[in-house]
C-alpha cells in the first residue's frame, strides 16, 4: 500500500513538473513572437542569465521589483512557518527538523541577499 502511494505521488510530482515546464515554454514562446530579440530557450541551463541579457532597463527594473517582493514574502512566510513549526514541535511532538529546514531556507535567502547587496554597493559595479 505504501509503495503504491509513493509511486502515485512520484508520478503526480513529475506530471506537475512537466506541466510547469510546458506552460513556461509556451509563455516564453509568446514573448519571443512579440520580441524577436529574445532568443533564450527554456531548456538552456543558463536561461535566466541569457533572458535577462536581452531585457531593456525598464524590464530589468520590473524584474528587480518583483524579485524584492518575492524576497519579502519569503521572509515573512519563513518567520511564520518557523514559529508555527517550533510550537508544533513542543505541543505535538513532531520534532524540530521541519522548523530547522524552514530556518535553513530562510538563512540561505537572507545570506544571499546580503552578499549581493554588499557586492553591488561597491562603487563601479554593474547592476545586472
Amino acid at each position: 500500500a505504501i509503495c503504491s502511494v509513493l509511486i502515485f505521488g512520484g508520478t503526480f510530482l513529475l506530471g506537475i513538473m512537466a506541466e510547469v515546464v510546458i506552460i513556461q515554454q509556451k509563455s516564453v514562446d509568446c514573448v519571443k513572437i512579440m520580441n524577436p530579440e529574445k532568443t533564450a530557450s527554456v531548456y538552456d541551463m543558463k536561461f535566466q542569465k541569457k533572458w535577462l541579457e536581452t531585457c531593456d532597463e525598464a524590464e530589468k527594473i520590473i524584474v528587480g521589483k518583483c524579485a524584492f517582493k518575492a524576497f519579502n514574502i519569503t521572509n515573512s512566510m519563513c518567520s511564520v512557518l518557523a514559529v508555527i513549526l517550533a510550537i508544533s514541535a513542543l505541543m505535538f511532538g513532531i520534532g524540530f527538523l521541519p522548523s530547522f529546514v524552514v530556518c535553513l531556507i530562510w538563512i540561505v535567502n537572507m545570506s544571499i541577499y546580503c552578499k549581493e547587496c554588499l557586492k553591488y554597493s561597491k562603487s563601479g559595479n554593474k547592476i545586472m
Side-chain angles (χ1 to χ4, degrees):
I2 292 176
C3 199
S4 63
V5 169
L6 290 175
I7 291 171
F8 176 74
T11 305
F12 187 70
L13 178 65
L14 288 175
I16 290 174
M17 289 173 63
E19 181 182 11
V20 167
V21 170
I22 291 168
I23 290 171
Q24 184 181 22
Q25 178 64 51
K26 297 296 180 191
S27 299
V28 168
D29 288 345
C30 288
V31 172
K32 283 181 175 181
I33 290 170
M34 294 183 289
N35 301 302
E37 70 276 2
K38 301 210 181 275
T39 58
S41 169
V42 173
Y43 304 109
D44 188 356
M45 294 301 287
K46 296 186 180 191
F47 167 73
Q48 292 176 339
K49 182 179 181 188
K50 289 180 179 179
W51 188 266
L52 199 57
E53 287 172 353
T54 62
C55 291
D56 62 14
E57 291 302 315
E59 290 171 318
K60 288 180 182 180
I61 289 170
I62 291 169
V63 169
K65 287 183 177 186
C66 294
F68 187 69
K69 181 69 174 184
F71 169 77
N72 283 332
I73 296 297
T74 301
N75 282 334
S76 300
M77 288 305 300
C78 284
S79 63
V80 169
L81 283 173
V83 170
I84 290 171
L85 290 170
I87 292 171
S88 295
L90 295 171
M91 293 178 65
F92 306 115
I94 65 168
F96 285 99
L97 183 61
S99 184
F100 174 74
V101 170
V102 169
C103 289
L104 186 62
I105 292 168
W106 193 7
I107 288 169
V108 168
N109 188 44
M110 290 296 294
S111 299
I112 297 299
Y113 181 79
C114 291
K115 178 185 166 220
E116 292 299 307
C117 282
L118 287 173
K119 182 172 121 180
Y120 291 119
S121 67
K122 294 178 183 175
S123 63
N125 276 339
K126 193 169 89 171
I127 296 297
M128 297 220 183

